[in-house]
Amino acid sequence: MRKNFWNKEIVNDANSNSNSNVILRIKDANGHVVVDEFQISPGKSVKLDGLKNNIKYSFEMKAKKGQFFINVV
């Protein structure tokens, strides 16, 4: 099943015990950086209007040791 990336938004869900900032970077299918590193605090979201629908992206994340819930919508 393939899902579309409609809202182009990433959320660090504070309601699911994400207790620290997360640093993300986004690459295209060829490994080129499309969005350089950005930080998301718990309970916050970031809009990514520059990304296109129906394109495959990779998300790289860095954070302190712990459990995180990141929603891509």
Side-chain angles (χ1 to χ4, degrees):
M1 178 171 78
R2 185 175 184 176
K3 292 188 174 189
N4 289 319
F5 190 38
W6 292 111
N7 294 332
K8 299 178 187 147
E9 184 174 14
I10 296 179
V11 181
N12 186 355
D13 189 354
N15 293 327
S16 300
N17 297 324
S18 292
N19 58 4
S20 183
N21 296 334
V22 174
I23 297 172
L24 288 125
R25 178 168 67 178
I26 302 173
K27 293 183 176 181
D28 65 15
N30 296 318
H32 299 110
V33 175
V34 177
V35 179
D36 208 358
E37 290 186 352
F38 60 97
Q39 182 173 286
I40 304 176
S41 301
K44 301 294 182 182
S45 65
V46 173
K47 292 289 267 180
L48 300 166
D49 294 326
L51 300 182
K52 299 176 183 175
N53 289 335
N54 300 319
I55 301 291
K56 292 182 180 182
Y57 296 102
S58 299
F59 296 84
E60 295 180 343
M61 294 183 246
K62 292 191 281 186
K64 293 180 181 178
K65 186 176 181 177
Q67 184 172 358
F68 297 88
F69 291 87
I70 306 296
N71 295 311
V72 179
V73 294

XYZ file of all heavy atoms in Angstrom:
586
model
N 0.848 -1.172 0.000
C 0.000 0.000 0.000
C 0.896 1.238 0.000
O 1.823 1.344 0.773
C -0.895 0.004 1.240
C -1.768 1.224 1.320
S -3.011 1.144 2.626
C -2.029 1.510 4.053
N 0.582 2.173 -0.857
C 1.342 3.402 -0.964
C 0.529 4.560 -0.404
O -0.633 4.723 -0.731
C 1.679 3.672 -2.423
C 2.562 4.857 -2.611
C 2.943 4.972 -4.046
N 3.880 6.066 -4.165
C 4.469 6.394 -5.261
N 4.221 5.721 -6.357
N 5.292 7.405 -5.297
N 1.164 5.357 0.439
C 0.476 6.514 1.012
C 1.053 7.783 0.424
O 2.249 7.883 0.191
C 0.621 6.544 2.533
C -0.119 5.426 3.204
C -0.100 5.634 4.681
C -0.975 4.597 5.349
N -1.184 4.853 6.736
N 0.214 8.756 0.202
C 0.670 10.047 -0.279
C 1.081 10.923 0.878
O 0.552 10.834 1.976
C -0.435 10.747 -1.089
C -0.654 10.080 -2.414
O 0.276 9.684 -3.078
N -1.898 9.948 -2.806
N 2.020 11.778 0.614
C 2.550 12.719 1.598
C 1.812 14.035 1.388
O 2.319 14.989 0.831
C 4.056 12.845 1.345
C 4.829 13.582 2.377
C 4.554 13.460 3.721
C 5.886 14.386 1.993
C 5.307 14.131 4.664
C 6.645 15.055 2.924
C 6.348 14.932 4.255
N 0.550 14.084 1.812
C -0.349 15.191 1.484
C -0.011 16.497 2.173
O 0.089 17.535 1.540
C -1.795 14.825 1.818
C -2.345 13.757 0.932
C -2.645 12.477 1.312
C -2.632 13.826 -0.449
N -3.093 11.756 0.244
C -3.106 12.561 -0.856
C -2.518 14.827 -1.404
C -3.479 12.281 -2.160
C -2.897 14.548 -2.699
C -3.365 13.293 -3.065
N 0.108 16.494 3.474
C 0.285 17.745 4.219
C 1.728 18.227 4.252
O 1.990 19.355 4.624
C -0.221 17.592 5.656
C -1.705 17.389 5.703
O -2.429 17.834 4.832
N -2.171 16.699 6.716
N 2.660 17.352 3.901
C 4.081 17.677 3.913
C 4.490 18.281 5.250
O 5.064 19.357 5.331
C 4.425 18.610 2.756
C 4.143 17.993 1.412
C 4.438 18.957 0.304
C 3.967 18.351 -0.992
N 3.499 19.344 -1.915
N 4.173 17.551 6.303
C 4.447 18.022 7.655
C 5.018 16.872 8.484
O 4.599 15.728 8.348
C 3.159 18.532 8.289
C 3.319 19.141 9.644
C 2.010 19.746 10.147
O 0.949 19.476 9.572
O 2.084 20.486 11.130
N 5.991 17.181 9.338
C 6.573 16.200 10.246
C 6.313 16.676 11.666
O 6.538 17.842 11.986
C 8.080 16.041 10.004
C 8.304 15.488 8.603
C 8.702 15.131 11.045
C 9.750 15.307 8.243
N 5.832 15.738 12.526
C 5.450 16.077 13.898
C 6.251 15.222 14.871
O 6.339 14.009 14.709
C 3.931 15.822 14.121
C 3.538 16.187 15.539
C 3.093 16.563 13.094
N 6.825 15.853 15.887
C 7.458 15.146 17.002
C 6.383 15.061 18.079
O 6.118 16.018 18.792
C 8.688 15.910 17.499
C 9.463 15.155 18.560
O 9.057 14.095 19.002
N 10.578 15.717 18.978
N 5.737 13.923 18.187
C 4.541 13.741 19.006
C 4.857 13.708 20.500
O 5.377 12.731 21.017
C 3.835 12.454 18.591
C 2.476 12.279 19.213
O 2.080 13.093 20.067
O 1.782 11.320 18.837
N 4.531 14.784 21.205
C 4.792 14.867 22.650
C 3.864 13.975 23.460
O 4.188 13.603 24.577
C 4.646 16.316 23.123
N 2.710 13.608 22.920
C 1.757 12.756 23.643
C 2.197 11.302 23.704
O 1.586 10.507 24.378
C 0.372 12.848 23.002
C -0.218 14.226 23.172
O 0.017 14.899 24.162
N -0.975 14.655 22.184
N 3.234 10.951 22.985
C 3.699 9.557 22.947
C 5.072 9.403 23.579
O 5.863 8.576 23.177
C 3.745 9.076 21.492
O 2.475 9.143 20.917
N 5.367 10.250 24.560
C 6.608 10.176 25.326
C 7.860 10.575 24.565
O 8.958 10.207 24.963
C 6.805 8.783 25.931
C 5.712 8.447 26.909
O 5.232 9.315 27.620
N 5.314 7.198 26.940
N 7.742 11.290 23.449
C 8.925 11.868 22.827
C 9.381 12.982 23.759
O 8.683 13.961 23.946
C 8.589 12.435 21.441
O 8.278 11.416 20.542
N 10.544 12.808 24.369
C 10.939 13.739 25.422
C 12.148 14.593 25.079
O 12.745 15.197 25.956
C 11.189 12.978 26.723
C 12.253 11.919 26.567
O 12.861 11.799 25.506
N 12.480 11.144 27.593
N 12.511 14.650 23.812
C 13.692 15.410 23.437
C 13.561 15.903 22.000
O 12.713 15.427 21.238
C 14.930 14.522 23.568
O 16.097 15.244 23.278
N 14.425 16.848 21.654
C 14.456 17.335 20.283
C 14.975 16.252 19.348
O 15.762 15.394 19.751
C 15.373 18.549 20.179
C 14.865 19.721 20.974
O 13.672 19.856 21.213
N 15.767 20.575 21.401
N 14.543 16.323 18.101
C 15.013 15.417 17.065
C 15.555 16.273 15.933
O 14.957 17.277 15.559
C 13.859 14.526 16.538
C 14.309 13.680 15.372
C 13.319 13.648 17.647
N 16.706 15.887 15.411
C 17.284 16.569 14.254
C 17.072 15.663 13.055
O 17.389 14.470 13.097
C 18.776 16.863 14.473
C 18.934 17.812 15.658
C 19.393 17.452 13.206
C 20.362 18.028 16.084
N 16.506 16.219 11.982
C 16.208 15.441 10.785
C 16.899 16.035 9.568
O 17.174 17.235 9.517
C 14.703 15.436 10.520
C 13.909 14.596 11.483
C 12.839 15.431 12.119
C 13.303 13.451 10.745
N 17.125 15.182 8.589
C 17.622 15.589 7.277
C 16.879 14.731 6.263
O 16.610 13.549 6.524
C 19.126 15.362 7.200
C 19.714 15.719 5.855
C 21.197 15.756 5.892
N 21.756 14.428 6.123
C 23.048 14.179 6.158
N 23.924 15.151 6.010
N 23.480 12.952 6.373
N 16.570 15.280 5.106
C 15.800 14.557 4.094
C 16.619 14.446 2.812
O 17.186 15.429 2.341
C 14.460 15.263 3.823
C 13.668 15.375 5.125
C 13.662 14.503 2.760
C 12.417 16.204 5.021
N 16.653 13.224 2.262
C 17.371 12.955 1.011
C 16.410 12.406 -0.032
O 15.404 11.787 0.305
C 18.480 11.932 1.248
C 19.595 12.436 2.139
C 20.681 11.383 2.261
C 21.861 11.885 3.050
N 22.912 10.859 3.140
N 16.756 12.587 -1.309
C 15.962 12.002 -2.384
C 16.434 10.570 -2.627
O 17.351 10.076 -1.957
C 16.005 12.866 -3.646
C 17.385 12.969 -4.282
O 18.294 12.166 -3.951
O 17.557 13.859 -5.134
N 15.832 9.895 -3.596
C 16.135 8.488 -3.869
C 17.584 8.286 -4.320
O 18.119 7.183 -4.216
C 15.173 7.949 -4.919
N 18.238 9.333 -4.816
C 19.627 9.241 -5.263
C 20.619 9.594 -4.156
O 21.826 9.637 -4.387
C 19.853 10.166 -6.457
C 19.031 9.728 -7.650
O 18.937 8.541 -7.950
N 18.422 10.670 -8.330
N 20.120 9.876 -2.949
C 20.987 10.175 -1.823
C 21.390 11.637 -1.709
O 22.213 11.987 -0.872
N 20.814 12.503 -2.538
C 21.114 13.929 -2.465
C 20.290 14.581 -1.359
O 19.096 14.302 -1.226
C 20.812 14.625 -3.797
C 21.618 14.090 -4.921
N 21.068 13.346 -5.930
C 22.943 14.172 -5.184
C 22.006 12.991 -6.793
N 23.158 13.477 -6.354
N 20.930 15.449 -0.578
C 20.223 16.154 0.490
C 19.242 17.144 -0.134
O 19.624 17.999 -0.926
C 21.205 16.885 1.423
C 20.455 17.716 2.455
C 22.122 15.884 2.110
N 17.964 16.984 0.204
C 16.898 17.855 -0.299
C 16.577 18.930 0.737
O 16.325 20.078 0.395
C 15.640 17.020 -0.626
C 14.499 17.906 -1.087
C 15.953 15.971 -1.665
N 16.569 18.540 2.015
C 16.345 19.464 3.125
C 17.461 19.213 4.132
O 17.573 18.109 4.663
C 14.961 19.260 3.781
C 14.785 20.217 4.946
C 13.841 19.439 2.764
N 18.279 20.242 4.363
C 19.387 20.105 5.309
C 18.861 19.982 6.734
O 17.665 20.151 6.973
C 20.325 21.307 5.188
C 21.758 20.958 5.584
O 22.012 19.801 5.976
O 22.614 21.849 5.507
N 19.721 19.715 7.673
C 19.314 19.443 9.054
C 18.414 20.530 9.629
O 18.673 21.718 9.448
C 20.541 19.296 9.952
C 21.318 18.038 9.692
C 22.451 17.842 10.683
O 22.742 18.752 11.488
O 23.053 16.758 10.640
N 17.360 20.077 10.295
C 16.464 20.967 11.027
C 16.029 20.235 12.289
O 16.077 19.019 12.366
C 15.260 21.403 10.191
C 14.388 20.276 9.724
C 13.239 19.927 10.413
C 14.707 19.541 8.584
C 12.432 18.884 9.993
C 13.904 18.505 8.143
C 12.763 18.178 8.852
N 15.622 21.002 13.296
C 15.288 20.444 14.602
C 13.793 20.565 14.869
O 13.180 21.567 14.525
C 16.065 21.217 15.667
C 15.841 20.720 17.070
C 16.762 21.425 18.041
O 17.950 21.141 18.056
N 16.225 22.328 18.826
N 13.235 19.501 15.495
C 11.831 19.526 15.916
C 11.777 19.211 17.407
O 12.257 18.171 17.850
C 10.981 18.494 15.162
C 11.085 18.680 13.653
C 9.522 18.594 15.594
C 10.344 17.624 12.870
N 11.182 20.090 18.177
C 10.992 19.893 19.617
C 9.747 19.048 19.857
O 8.850 19.014 19.008
C 10.821 21.246 20.313
O 11.955 22.045 20.095
N 9.650 18.382 21.011
C 8.448 17.600 21.321
C 7.194 18.480 21.260
O 7.187 19.605 21.760
C 8.693 17.102 22.747
C 10.175 17.100 22.893
C 10.655 18.268 22.084
N 6.170 17.971 20.611
C 4.906 18.690 20.487
C 4.880 19.708 19.372
O 3.885 20.401 19.179
N 5.951 19.799 18.611
C 6.036 20.771 17.514
C 6.030 20.052 16.173
O 6.255 18.852 16.079
C 7.318 21.608 17.627
C 7.422 22.375 18.912
C 6.357 23.443 18.998
C 6.504 24.246 20.271
N 5.488 25.247 20.443
N 5.774 20.817 15.116
C 5.781 20.270 13.770
C 6.518 21.223 12.839
O 6.725 22.389 13.169
C 4.355 20.044 13.269
O 3.682 21.278 13.147
N 6.915 20.708 11.686
C 7.588 21.499 10.666
C 6.916 21.203 9.335
O 6.731 20.037 8.968
C 9.091 21.144 10.591
C 9.759 21.826 9.417
C 9.794 21.513 11.882
N 6.521 22.257 8.622
C 5.953 22.111 7.282
C 7.096 22.002 6.274
O 8.099 22.692 6.396
C 5.086 23.323 6.930
C 3.818 23.427 7.738
C 2.809 22.385 7.367
C 1.854 22.898 6.312
N 0.864 21.923 5.918
N 6.930 21.137 5.303
C 7.944 20.906 4.274
C 7.331 21.114 2.891
O 7.262 20.202 2.075
C 8.514 19.498 4.421
C 9.186 19.223 5.763
C 9.424 17.748 5.955
C 10.476 20.010 5.867
N 6.874 22.323 2.639
C 6.177 22.631 1.395
C 7.028 22.415 0.149
O 6.504 22.229 -0.936
C 5.656 24.073 1.421
C 4.581 24.265 2.470
O 3.805 23.316 2.713
O 4.512 25.361 3.063
N 8.351 22.421 0.289
C 9.228 22.236 -0.861
C 9.277 20.811 -1.385
O 9.749 20.572 -2.496
N 8.783 19.836 -0.614
C 8.783 18.444 -1.068
C 7.621 18.201 -2.011
O 6.578 18.844 -1.918
C 8.708 17.493 0.126
C 9.848 17.584 1.136
C 9.662 16.553 2.228
C 11.190 17.423 0.468
N 7.815 17.252 -2.920
C 6.800 16.956 -3.931
C 6.087 15.646 -3.609
O 6.673 14.728 -3.040
C 7.455 16.862 -5.305
C 8.130 18.149 -5.713
C 8.845 17.985 -7.031
C 9.567 19.276 -7.376
N 10.373 19.146 -8.573
N 4.823 15.558 -3.993
C 4.069 14.304 -3.860
C 4.605 13.279 -4.849
O 5.165 13.626 -5.886
C 2.578 14.534 -4.124
C 1.911 15.304 -3.006
O 2.361 15.299 -1.881
N 0.821 15.962 -3.323
N 4.422 12.008 -4.516
C 4.790 10.879 -5.369
C 6.289 10.796 -5.656
O 6.699 10.277 -6.670
C 3.994 10.897 -6.676
C 2.514 10.801 -6.425
O 2.071 10.039 -5.567
N 1.732 11.579 -7.135
N 7.103 11.328 -4.761
C 8.552 11.212 -4.841
C 9.010 10.478 -3.582
O 8.517 10.734 -2.487
C 9.225 12.611 -4.892
C 8.736 13.419 -6.090
C 10.746 12.494 -4.877
C 9.203 12.903 -7.443
N 9.965 9.551 -3.732
C 10.480 8.814 -2.576
C 11.566 9.634 -1.890
O 12.471 10.143 -2.545
C 11.048 7.469 -3.010
C 9.990 6.511 -3.499
C 10.597 5.186 -3.856
C 9.518 4.236 -4.347
N 10.071 2.918 -4.656
N 11.443 9.756 -0.562
C 12.414 10.466 0.253
C 12.879 9.567 1.391
O 12.145 8.702 1.850
C 11.795 11.735 0.869
C 11.388 12.767 -0.136
C 10.056 12.925 -0.501
C 12.316 13.596 -0.717
C 9.666 13.880 -1.431
C 11.943 14.555 -1.646
C 10.623 14.697 -1.992
O 10.256 15.638 -2.917
N 14.103 9.810 1.853
C 14.648 9.140 3.032
C 14.781 10.179 4.134
O 15.195 11.314 3.877
C 16.036 8.572 2.743
O 15.979 7.621 1.727
N 14.437 9.781 5.353
C 14.537 10.657 6.510
C 15.629 10.119 7.419
O 15.582 8.979 7.853
C 13.206 10.710 7.271
C 12.099 11.316 6.474
C 11.370 10.561 5.578
C 11.795 12.646 6.618
C 10.342 11.118 4.839
C 10.767 13.224 5.894
C 10.042 12.457 4.993
N 16.629 10.946 7.706
C 17.682 10.590 8.649
C 17.436 11.373 9.930
O 17.173 12.578 9.881
C 19.052 10.945 8.079
C 19.399 10.147 6.849
C 20.764 10.513 6.282
O 21.301 11.586 6.635
O 21.294 9.723 5.496
N 17.511 10.690 11.067
C 17.223 11.320 12.351
C 18.371 11.137 13.325
O 19.013 10.086 13.338
C 15.973 10.699 12.967
C 14.725 10.973 12.207
S 13.307 10.285 13.052
C 12.838 9.042 11.874
N 18.588 12.188 14.134
C 19.549 12.129 15.239
C 18.819 12.636 16.482
O 18.069 13.607 16.418
C 20.751 13.031 14.990
C 21.646 12.591 13.869
C 22.942 13.361 13.856
C 22.790 14.719 13.251
N 24.056 15.452 13.081
N 19.056 11.959 17.599
C 18.427 12.365 18.858
C 19.166 11.681 20.008
O 19.938 10.747 19.798
C 16.953 11.985 18.886
N 18.896 12.159 21.211
C 19.410 11.491 22.392
C 18.808 10.092 22.456
O 17.737 9.843 21.882
C 19.005 12.247 23.654
C 19.641 13.590 23.810
C 19.166 14.241 25.091
C 19.755 15.610 25.270
N 19.257 16.271 26.476
N 19.460 9.208 23.164
C 18.927 7.860 23.343
C 17.547 7.949 23.976
O 17.328 8.689 24.935
C 19.859 7.034 24.222
C 19.459 5.597 24.337
C 20.470 4.818 25.129
C 20.053 3.361 25.219
N 21.038 2.558 25.930
N 16.591 7.214 23.412
C 15.230 7.221 23.934
C 14.256 6.727 22.887
O 14.637 6.236 21.834
N 13.009 6.886 23.186
C 11.934 6.462 22.290
C 11.237 7.710 21.750
O 10.905 8.621 22.498
C 10.933 5.595 23.051
C 9.851 5.031 22.180
C 9.010 4.039 22.963
O 9.237 3.744 24.117
N 8.015 3.499 22.303
N 11.008 7.726 20.448
C 10.406 8.884 19.794
C 9.294 8.428 18.865
O 9.364 7.333 18.288
C 11.451 9.651 18.978
C 12.556 10.216 19.830
C 13.676 9.474 20.123
C 12.439 11.486 20.353
C 14.676 9.973 20.909
C 13.445 12.006 21.150
C 14.572 11.248 21.423
N 8.293 9.272 18.712
C 7.217 9.026 17.762
C 7.159 10.209 16.823
O 6.814 11.325 17.225
C 5.884 8.839 18.500
C 5.847 7.557 19.282
C 6.327 7.509 20.582
C 5.370 6.391 18.704
C 6.315 6.342 21.293
C 5.365 5.215 19.416
C 5.831 5.184 20.724
N 7.542 9.953 15.582
C 7.571 10.987 14.559
C 6.493 10.646 13.540
O 6.452 9.547 12.999
C 8.950 11.038 13.848
C 10.078 11.198 14.860
C 8.969 12.107 12.783
C 10.054 12.483 15.643
N 5.599 11.586 13.303
C 4.538 11.396 12.327
C 4.846 12.193 11.071
O 5.172 13.380 11.157
C 3.190 11.870 12.886
C 2.744 11.031 14.052
O 2.739 9.812 13.991
N 2.371 11.687 15.137
N 4.757 11.541 9.941
C 4.940 12.201 8.645
C 3.581 12.191 7.975
O 3.039 11.123 7.682
C 5.982 11.445 7.802
C 6.154 12.115 6.456
C 7.309 11.349 8.539
N 3.026 13.375 7.777
C 1.666 13.475 7.225
C 1.628 14.358 5.999
O 2.469 15.172 5.787
C 0.661 13.991 8.276
C 0.513 12.983 9.393
C 1.077 15.323 8.850
